[in-house]
Amino acid sequence: MIDFPKPAAKQFLQTLALGRFAVTSNEDQLLFVSNLSGKMNLWSIELPGGFPSQLTFENQSIGSIHVDPKGRYTLITSDFDGDENYKIKVLSPAGGQAKLLIPAEEQTKQFVSHISDDGEYLYYATSQRNPEFFNSFRRNVMTGEEELLVAGEDALTTIESVSEDGCVIAYVKNFSNTHSLIEALDGDKTHILSSEPEEIQEMRRAVVAGRKVYYLTNLHDDHHYLASYDLDEKFSTIIKKLPNASMDELDYDAANQCLYVRTLEGAIAKLYRYTIYGEKWKEVASPFDMFLGLKIAKTGALYVLGSTSTSPMQIFKFTGTDWEPIVTNSVPGVPEEMLVEAETIKYPSFDGLQIEALWFKAPDEVSNGATIFWPHGGPQSLETKAFRSYFQYWLANGYSVFAPNFRGSAGYGSDFMKMVERDWGYGPRLDCVKGAEWLFEQGYAKPDTLYCVGGSYGGYMTLLLHGRHKDLFRAFVDIFGPCDLFTFYHSVPDHWKQMMDKFVGNPDRDKEKFIEDSPITYLENMTKPMFVVQGANDPRVVQAESDKIVNALREKGVQVEYLLLEDEGHGFSKKENELLVFERIVAFLDKQRLGHPVR
Amino acid sequence: MIDFPKPAAKQFLQTLALGRFAVTSNEDQLLFVSNLSGKMNLWSIELPGGFPSQLTFENQSIGSIHVDPKGRYTLITSDFDGDENYKIKVLSPAGGQAKLLIPAEEQTKQFVSHISDDGEYLYYATSQRNPEFFNSFRRNVMTGEEELLVAGEDALTTIESVSEDGCVIAYVKNFSNTHSLIEALDGDKTHILSSEPEEIQEMRRAVVAGRKVYYLTNLHDDHHYLASYDLDEKFSTIIKKLPNASMDELDYDAANQCLYVRTLEGAIAKLYRYTIYGEKWKEVASPFDMFLGLKIAKTGALYVLGSTSTSPMQIFKFTGTDWEPIVTNSVPGVPEEMLVEAETIKYPSFDGLQIEALWFKAPDEVSNGATIFWPHGGPQSLETKAFRSYFQYWLANGYSVFAPNFRGSAGYGSDFMKMVERDWGYGPRLDCVKGAEWLFEQGYAKPDTLYCVGGSYGGYMTLLLHGRHKDLFRAFVDIFGPCDLFTFYHSVPDHWKQMMDKFVGNPDRDKEKFIEDSPITYLENMTKPMFVVQGANDPRVVQAESDKIVNALREKGVQVEYLLLEDEGHGFSKKENELLVFERIVAFLDKQRLGHPVR
């Protein structure tokens, strides 16, 4: 028989990336963001399924897609080389050059909130003249006439939902990642939806349906649940709570008068349907472990972007009974059974708190005995059973992967999530330490075979673990991680500033804590091999953060590899960059393991 | 209303390129070569139509695809950065790394001729140990055992068709572009298919069906027609002739016992079906003006790659009654009605010979008054009504396009085609001159608004027109064109050498003619602005040809722009290079026209 070569690195990393998507109102076209051409662009396929056409040629990340219900235009928001200064651009539904819709200064960020059913009005938020809290406008798309609807005053404020007749506008005021309130404008009247607005709570995802506003909240509960506010009766009602599940996305199916709710239940997501009339609640079984996007067509047909540990992002249509693949995606040349399914394990932390982690064990036939310890980014995010091409790439290269959802992670209730706030460097770090010790106890790893690799907050954690627990690991890889909480605090975008106090702390008030929790404090201890990756345009973790740690370590004579990506921000908009980084990481790890890279 | 930007250059040039394709034997998958990812790779879609998956990651041109009828492997031939040293590579049907199937030296060229119905045997040709004439082998794909079937002795020889039982092997001996003979091995007996093998004729495209070998020939006729040879009766029969149409492709539908014949009738191609039993001949109406590939599934379903002047390459399935789109393709954001349809015009040349030309008139609303004069490559090829993205790009930029099928072009009979042989620089050149004069007479152009742009032989013609008729044109663009027939004669690949004598002439015997027809002879007259493009790996027109003319002109003080593509050969395997070249050409022309580039 023919002996085919083993799957190459790039087969995993060339897996199609899918981003936002939209369905036209007559459901004849699906528009989606993808790096099919190597870089992120907008594509479309004719429904019920066909060959894709490229609509944009900007080669940039696209943050949202909105289609004129009357089919005259398409709106996208895109930035430039990762700078996150997203602008609203208009293009012909047939594709072509995308044109800036609303004149704005370069630093301005614009976000689409809603398009009216007749396509005449755009509701959008802009940082122009209000960089910290944003202003929201209603704009006549055809004439350019516009009207200020909501001015952000004390919190980052954006419109969440607009009623069919345009009279009711629900907006969310974000004080921090874990504190937000929803209000609604009803003609000239303002409704405070929460019954106890003074309480710290997190309200999210408003939907105006008739004279009710549906939303998710965690008021007096550890988990988010579904509630509604009656605009006439002026009071809120709890609609549905689920034990041990946090509701985190809410979508409205006007055709069938029902709501779709996505929950996070630890490392997996589930989908539920709530029928407003009849008050029926039902789980919708799906082929996915994680939902990354959901669109409801005018007909009520559901289009879902999702994945599992072993199946890359795909878009399926749910007909009510069946899931039909629309945009299919697999690791080229690698059958799904060769990919590694995550095992969910739990271990007790230093204070008895249970920590859940994903454990991907490299198959015996490829295992090299080494393990990658992956503290996720966020930090108020989590590692789920979504497909991770680089995990599978590492696994195929023989590395097992351990990803702990340390305290502060989403998916385990609000109390758990808040545990990282103003405590970036203590509890979560010790959870990681206990995770490493768990691996040692199980016999899965030894300090000599354990490598710490993390991005964003995970990069910060990597640096901190290097500074304070270097003997647990053999080497470290920091991707876009901040090293100094003082400078990080000051360098984030304007609209992050308010929430930084609660999220990270205050450099004056919490000076001692900032020093204790900044990796740069422990520079002297960082003696292990390290590889640092940074995007030159990163607006969240600026290049100075990485320059600082690299220069400081090099001055001490520590060998540090440094890769600066000139045309990226806080992520990868270009497949070639992603490929480069993850290939370099494996080469770096192989070199530590063997004294030379394998390739 | 919203005023969308005019279509950008790259919208035309980003049009998907489609190359070879194949259908699996159970018709569940269509495999095709495309630059969907920006570079040429193999892709597949599930039939009857779905979302594409990438199968290879080599980023190289793929010359052929063959699928194991039993579904165990896929074979491709690919080269490296345009060097045309195509090698047979095997990959898993699910895709992945392609592995060299047959060890070979770097310079070796390998071509797949046939795979047996059980997928056990590969019939292939190789230049190894016979660089000029090739040897053909039967190889057991599983064991690697192989047997020499046909050794090229006096002509470039390749297998054209193998009977179902493997006992009959038809092969073609190519003495030149217009002289070839087909022979057949029938067990240990060799059949000479032509009744008059001593006559100069061009036999092509053999199909072994039962005890007959069908083929196309032009014996005693100006146009190619369908004939068959009876292996038992040992004589040839004329089956079908068409007036004014040359048959140039032949495919066999074993399920329905019929043949499909493609004709060239001037600038358009047509498709006919011949039913063997019943001897029925029928034109198959299609949506295309040019067919670029045709595959017949085991069921008899027909898959066709084709295009028109205004519709890019697409793959359709013909069900017997309908044409169903499988791989769709359009110019993104440009409706078909904005593209320019070619008008076919005729003009008499210096000696009264009628020359057909394509005339694309830039629409009044975009026209800049300038015309691009495009002598095609080949030269024994022609400009057809196939889609040309760069023509449409030029048109959208205001340039009209005139493409004459000068003497020597295919599609107008064998006598016409032979007129370029050993006369590269006289007749065809004067046809071009008369074409330019026709444009002047019609009032379509003036010498001040006419620009000559050509590639390969068209680049040679551009150089020659520059040297001998510079006053007819304002500026010149030479893409991959030879400037010196002496050096060109010696630098072509080995397997071209035999035919060069008839095609171009002999540098010793025809020394005077070579001097007269070499553009370099007229260097002194070349004083107009020129732009030269060359692929560094071009094995047909080597870099030295372009270096020579550029250096010579620069020494004289003539301003010449020179673009050397490091990773290309005699064509474009990389979309970014194609985009670069055609954008640079328009910038160059705009600069001549206006004194500065428009962009």
Side-chain angles (χ1 to χ4, degrees), chain A residues 91-112:
Chain A
L91 72 156
S92 157
Q97 286 195 79
K99 186 177 83 164
L100 202 65
L101 184 71
I102 307 154
E105 287 153 23
E106 200 187 312
Q107 294 304 315
T108 303
K109 296 167 211 301
Q110 301 170 337
F111 297 100
V112 176

PDB file of all heavy atoms in Angstrom, chain A residues 91-112:
ATOM      1  N   LEU A  91     -20.492  48.604   1.122  1.00  0.00           N
ATOM      2  CA  LEU A  91     -20.115  48.073  -0.189  1.00  0.00           C
ATOM      3  C   LEU A  91     -21.355  47.564  -0.906  1.00  0.00           C
ATOM      4  O   LEU A  91     -22.408  47.359  -0.292  1.00  0.00           O
ATOM      5  CB  LEU A  91     -19.043  46.986  -0.086  1.00  0.00           C
ATOM      6  CG  LEU A  91     -19.380  45.612   0.451  1.00  0.00           C
ATOM      7  CD1 LEU A  91     -18.385  44.598  -0.087  1.00  0.00           C
ATOM      8  CD2 LEU A  91     -19.320  45.610   1.974  1.00  0.00           C
ATOM      9  N   SER A  92     -21.220  47.434  -2.212  1.00  0.00           N
ATOM     10  CA  SER A  92     -22.302  46.894  -3.025  1.00  0.00           C
ATOM     11  C   SER A  92     -22.572  45.457  -2.571  1.00  0.00           C
ATOM     12  O   SER A  92     -21.644  44.732  -2.221  1.00  0.00           O
ATOM     13  CB  SER A  92     -21.880  46.918  -4.498  1.00  0.00           C
ATOM     14  OG  SER A  92     -22.609  45.966  -5.226  1.00  0.00           O
ATOM     15  N   PRO A  93     -23.841  45.012  -2.589  1.00  0.00           N
ATOM     16  CA  PRO A  93     -24.133  43.634  -2.211  1.00  0.00           C
ATOM     17  C   PRO A  93     -23.368  42.631  -3.084  1.00  0.00           C
ATOM     18  O   PRO A  93     -23.104  41.517  -2.665  1.00  0.00           O
ATOM     19  CB  PRO A  93     -25.635  43.512  -2.451  1.00  0.00           C
ATOM     20  CG  PRO A  93     -26.156  44.897  -2.385  1.00  0.00           C
ATOM     21  CD  PRO A  93     -25.067  45.775  -2.916  1.00  0.00           C
ATOM     22  N   ALA A  94     -22.974  43.056  -4.294  1.00  0.00           N
ATOM     23  CA  ALA A  94     -22.199  42.180  -5.172  1.00  0.00           C
ATOM     24  C   ALA A  94     -20.716  42.178  -4.823  1.00  0.00           C
ATOM     25  O   ALA A  94     -19.931  41.461  -5.441  1.00  0.00           O
ATOM     26  CB  ALA A  94     -22.380  42.617  -6.625  1.00  0.00           C
ATOM     27  N   GLY A  95     -20.320  43.004  -3.836  1.00  0.00           N
ATOM     28  CA  GLY A  95     -18.916  43.048  -3.445  1.00  0.00           C
ATOM     29  C   GLY A  95     -18.178  44.164  -4.156  1.00  0.00           C
ATOM     30  O   GLY A  95     -18.752  44.903  -4.952  1.00  0.00           O
ATOM     31  N   GLY A  96     -16.900  44.276  -3.859  1.00  0.00           N
ATOM     32  CA  GLY A  96     -16.083  45.320  -4.477  1.00  0.00           C
ATOM     33  C   GLY A  96     -15.363  46.110  -3.407  1.00  0.00           C
ATOM     34  O   GLY A  96     -15.079  45.587  -2.330  1.00  0.00           O
ATOM     35  N   GLN A  97     -15.059  47.372  -3.723  1.00  0.00           N
ATOM     36  CA  GLN A  97     -14.365  48.202  -2.752  1.00  0.00           C
ATOM     37  C   GLN A  97     -15.311  48.632  -1.635  1.00  0.00           C
ATOM     38  O   GLN A  97     -16.422  49.073  -1.899  1.00  0.00           O
ATOM     39  CB  GLN A  97     -13.828  49.451  -3.440  1.00  0.00           C
ATOM     40  CG  GLN A  97     -12.632  49.180  -4.308  1.00  0.00           C
ATOM     41  CD  GLN A  97     -11.916  50.461  -4.662  1.00  0.00           C
ATOM     42  OE1 GLN A  97     -11.157  51.008  -3.879  1.00  0.00           O
ATOM     43  NE2 GLN A  97     -12.163  50.942  -5.855  1.00  0.00           N
ATOM     44  N   ALA A  98     -14.825  48.532  -0.412  1.00  0.00           N
ATOM     45  CA  ALA A  98     -15.618  48.983   0.731  1.00  0.00           C
ATOM     46  C   ALA A  98     -15.242  50.436   1.001  1.00  0.00           C
ATOM     47  O   ALA A  98     -14.068  50.786   1.042  1.00  0.00           O
ATOM     48  CB  ALA A  98     -15.330  48.113   1.937  1.00  0.00           C
ATOM     49  N   LYS A  99     -16.261  51.263   1.167  1.00  0.00           N
ATOM     50  CA  LYS A  99     -16.051  52.705   1.312  1.00  0.00           C
ATOM     51  C   LYS A  99     -16.462  53.125   2.720  1.00  0.00           C
ATOM     52  O   LYS A  99     -17.490  52.683   3.224  1.00  0.00           O
ATOM     53  CB  LYS A  99     -16.933  53.407   0.276  1.00  0.00           C
ATOM     54  CG  LYS A  99     -16.775  54.891   0.165  1.00  0.00           C
ATOM     55  CD  LYS A  99     -17.654  55.446  -0.959  1.00  0.00           C
ATOM     56  CE  LYS A  99     -19.077  55.661  -0.506  1.00  0.00           C
ATOM     57  NZ  LYS A  99     -19.853  56.528  -1.436  1.00  0.00           N
ATOM     58  N   LEU A 100     -15.667  53.990   3.327  1.00  0.00           N
ATOM     59  CA  LEU A 100     -16.001  54.512   4.642  1.00  0.00           C
ATOM     60  C   LEU A 100     -17.384  55.168   4.572  1.00  0.00           C
ATOM     61  O   LEU A 100     -17.623  56.009   3.711  1.00  0.00           O
ATOM     62  CB  LEU A 100     -14.945  55.545   5.034  1.00  0.00           C
ATOM     63  CG  LEU A 100     -14.785  55.830   6.524  1.00  0.00           C
ATOM     64  CD1 LEU A 100     -14.280  54.600   7.259  1.00  0.00           C
ATOM     65  CD2 LEU A 100     -13.812  56.988   6.727  1.00  0.00           C
ATOM     66  N   LEU A 101     -18.301  54.776   5.458  1.00  0.00           N
ATOM     67  CA  LEU A 101     -19.652  55.340   5.388  1.00  0.00           C
ATOM     68  C   LEU A 101     -19.730  56.689   6.091  1.00  0.00           C
ATOM     69  O   LEU A 101     -20.388  57.605   5.618  1.00  0.00           O
ATOM     70  CB  LEU A 101     -20.663  54.365   6.017  1.00  0.00           C
ATOM     71  CG  LEU A 101     -22.121  54.795   5.926  1.00  0.00           C
ATOM     72  CD1 LEU A 101     -22.624  54.698   4.492  1.00  0.00           C
ATOM     73  CD2 LEU A 101     -23.000  53.956   6.847  1.00  0.00           C
ATOM     74  N   ILE A 102     -19.048  56.789   7.238  1.00  0.00           N
ATOM     75  CA  ILE A 102     -19.169  57.989   8.071  1.00  0.00           C
ATOM     76  C   ILE A 102     -17.773  58.559   8.293  1.00  0.00           C
ATOM     77  O   ILE A 102     -16.920  57.891   8.871  1.00  0.00           O
ATOM     78  CB  ILE A 102     -19.801  57.630   9.433  1.00  0.00           C
ATOM     79  CG1 ILE A 102     -21.112  56.875   9.204  1.00  0.00           C
ATOM     80  CG2 ILE A 102     -19.993  58.865  10.297  1.00  0.00           C
ATOM     81  CD1 ILE A 102     -21.495  55.953  10.350  1.00  0.00           C
ATOM     82  N   PRO A 103     -17.535  59.783   7.827  1.00  0.00           N
ATOM     83  CA  PRO A 103     -16.196  60.366   7.999  1.00  0.00           C
ATOM     84  C   PRO A 103     -15.786  60.333   9.474  1.00  0.00           C
ATOM     85  O   PRO A 103     -16.624  60.598  10.351  1.00  0.00           O
ATOM     86  CB  PRO A 103     -16.371  61.807   7.517  1.00  0.00           C
ATOM     87  CG  PRO A 103     -17.650  61.834   6.734  1.00  0.00           C
ATOM     88  CD  PRO A 103     -18.497  60.730   7.260  1.00  0.00           C
ATOM     89  N   ALA A 104     -14.553  60.001   9.742  1.00  0.00           N
ATOM     90  CA  ALA A 104     -14.104  59.899  11.135  1.00  0.00           C
ATOM     91  C   ALA A 104     -12.601  60.026  11.196  1.00  0.00           C
ATOM     92  O   ALA A 104     -11.900  59.736  10.227  1.00  0.00           O
ATOM     93  CB  ALA A 104     -14.531  58.560  11.719  1.00  0.00           C
ATOM     94  N   GLU A 105     -12.120  60.461  12.348  1.00  0.00           N
ATOM     95  CA  GLU A 105     -10.677  60.501  12.554  1.00  0.00           C
ATOM     96  C   GLU A 105     -10.133  59.083  12.640  1.00  0.00           C
ATOM     97  O   GLU A 105     -10.859  58.149  12.972  1.00  0.00           O
ATOM     98  CB  GLU A 105     -10.358  61.241  13.869  1.00  0.00           C
ATOM     99  CG  GLU A 105     -10.580  62.737  13.745  1.00  0.00           C
ATOM    100  CD  GLU A 105     -10.919  63.355  15.094  1.00  0.00           C
ATOM    101  OE1 GLU A 105     -10.568  62.768  16.129  1.00  0.00           O
ATOM    102  OE2 GLU A 105     -11.569  64.426  15.090  1.00  0.00           O
ATOM    103  N   GLU A 106      -8.834  58.941  12.369  1.00  0.00           N
ATOM    104  CA  GLU A 106      -8.223  57.627  12.283  1.00  0.00           C
ATOM    105  C   GLU A 106      -8.425  56.792  13.548  1.00  0.00           C
ATOM    106  O   GLU A 106      -8.659  55.592  13.485  1.00  0.00           O
ATOM    107  CB  GLU A 106      -6.728  57.797  12.000  1.00  0.00           C
ATOM    108  CG  GLU A 106      -6.094  56.550  11.419  1.00  0.00           C
ATOM    109  CD  GLU A 106      -4.588  56.685  11.297  1.00  0.00           C
ATOM    110  OE1 GLU A 106      -4.145  57.728  10.771  1.00  0.00           O
ATOM    111  OE2 GLU A 106      -3.872  55.775  11.740  1.00  0.00           O
ATOM    112  N   GLN A 107      -8.354  57.438  14.702  1.00  0.00           N
ATOM    113  CA  GLN A 107      -8.424  56.697  15.968  1.00  0.00           C
ATOM    114  C   GLN A 107      -9.848  56.287  16.345  1.00  0.00           C
ATOM    115  O   GLN A 107     -10.059  55.543  17.301  1.00  0.00           O
ATOM    116  CB  GLN A 107      -7.859  57.565  17.117  1.00  0.00           C
ATOM    117  CG  GLN A 107      -6.373  57.862  16.991  1.00  0.00           C
ATOM    118  CD  GLN A 107      -5.535  56.597  16.887  1.00  0.00           C
ATOM    119  OE1 GLN A 107      -5.753  55.659  17.639  1.00  0.00           O
ATOM    120  NE2 GLN A 107      -4.613  56.557  15.933  1.00  0.00           N
ATOM    121  N   THR A 108     -10.820  56.808  15.602  1.00  0.00           N
ATOM    122  CA  THR A 108     -12.229  56.553  15.949  1.00  0.00           C
ATOM    123  C   THR A 108     -12.593  55.083  15.786  1.00  0.00           C
ATOM    124  O   THR A 108     -12.153  54.422  14.857  1.00  0.00           O
ATOM    125  CB  THR A 108     -13.132  57.409  15.042  1.00  0.00           C
ATOM    126  OG1 THR A 108     -12.774  58.772  15.208  1.00  0.00           O
ATOM    127  CG2 THR A 108     -14.599  57.202  15.371  1.00  0.00           C
ATOM    128  N   LYS A 109     -13.416  54.614  16.711  1.00  0.00           N
ATOM    129  CA  LYS A 109     -13.987  53.270  16.622  1.00  0.00           C
ATOM    130  C   LYS A 109     -15.481  53.417  16.385  1.00  0.00           C
ATOM    131  O   LYS A 109     -16.137  54.219  17.044  1.00  0.00           O
ATOM    132  CB  LYS A 109     -13.754  52.491  17.920  1.00  0.00           C
ATOM    133  CG  LYS A 109     -12.292  52.233  18.221  1.00  0.00           C
ATOM    134  CD  LYS A 109     -12.085  51.755  19.643  1.00  0.00           C
ATOM    135  CE  LYS A 109     -10.747  52.209  20.184  1.00  0.00           C
ATOM    136  NZ  LYS A 109      -9.591  51.754  19.431  1.00  0.00           N
ATOM    137  N   GLN A 110     -16.024  52.656  15.458  1.00  0.00           N
ATOM    138  CA  GLN A 110     -17.458  52.694  15.171  1.00  0.00           C
ATOM    139  C   GLN A 110     -18.000  51.278  15.221  1.00  0.00           C
ATOM    140  O   GLN A 110     -17.346  50.336  14.768  1.00  0.00           O
ATOM    141  CB  GLN A 110     -17.717  53.271  13.769  1.00  0.00           C
ATOM    142  CG  GLN A 110     -17.178  54.681  13.553  1.00  0.00           C
ATOM    143  CD  GLN A 110     -17.252  55.107  12.089  1.00  0.00           C
ATOM    144  OE1 GLN A 110     -17.302  54.278  11.187  1.00  0.00           O
ATOM    145  NE2 GLN A 110     -17.257  56.409  11.867  1.00  0.00           N
ATOM    146  N   PHE A 111     -19.201  51.131  15.763  1.00  0.00           N
ATOM    147  CA  PHE A 111     -19.814  49.810  15.837  1.00  0.00           C
ATOM    148  C   PHE A 111     -21.266  49.887  15.374  1.00  0.00           C
ATOM    149  O   PHE A 111     -21.980  50.809  15.752  1.00  0.00           O
ATOM    150  CB  PHE A 111     -19.776  49.273  17.270  1.00  0.00           C
ATOM    151  CG  PHE A 111     -18.381  49.079  17.786  1.00  0.00           C
ATOM    152  CD1 PHE A 111     -17.784  50.021  18.619  1.00  0.00           C
ATOM    153  CD2 PHE A 111     -17.652  47.961  17.411  1.00  0.00           C
ATOM    154  CE1 PHE A 111     -16.486  49.855  19.080  1.00  0.00           C
ATOM    155  CE2 PHE A 111     -16.352  47.785  17.862  1.00  0.00           C
ATOM    156  CZ  PHE A 111     -15.760  48.734  18.708  1.00  0.00           C
ATOM    157  N   VAL A 112     -21.675  48.934  14.555  1.00  0.00           N
ATOM    158  CA  VAL A 112     -23.072  48.882  14.121  1.00  0.00           C
ATOM    159  C   VAL A 112     -23.893  48.205  15.208  1.00  0.00           C
ATOM    160  O   VAL A 112     -23.531  47.126  15.699  1.00  0.00           O
ATOM    161  CB  VAL A 112     -23.215  48.072  12.816  1.00  0.00           C
ATOM    162  CG1 VAL A 112     -24.677  47.942  12.415  1.00  0.00           C
ATOM    163  CG2 VAL A 112     -22.420  48.740  11.693  1.00  0.00           C
TER     164      VAL A 112
END
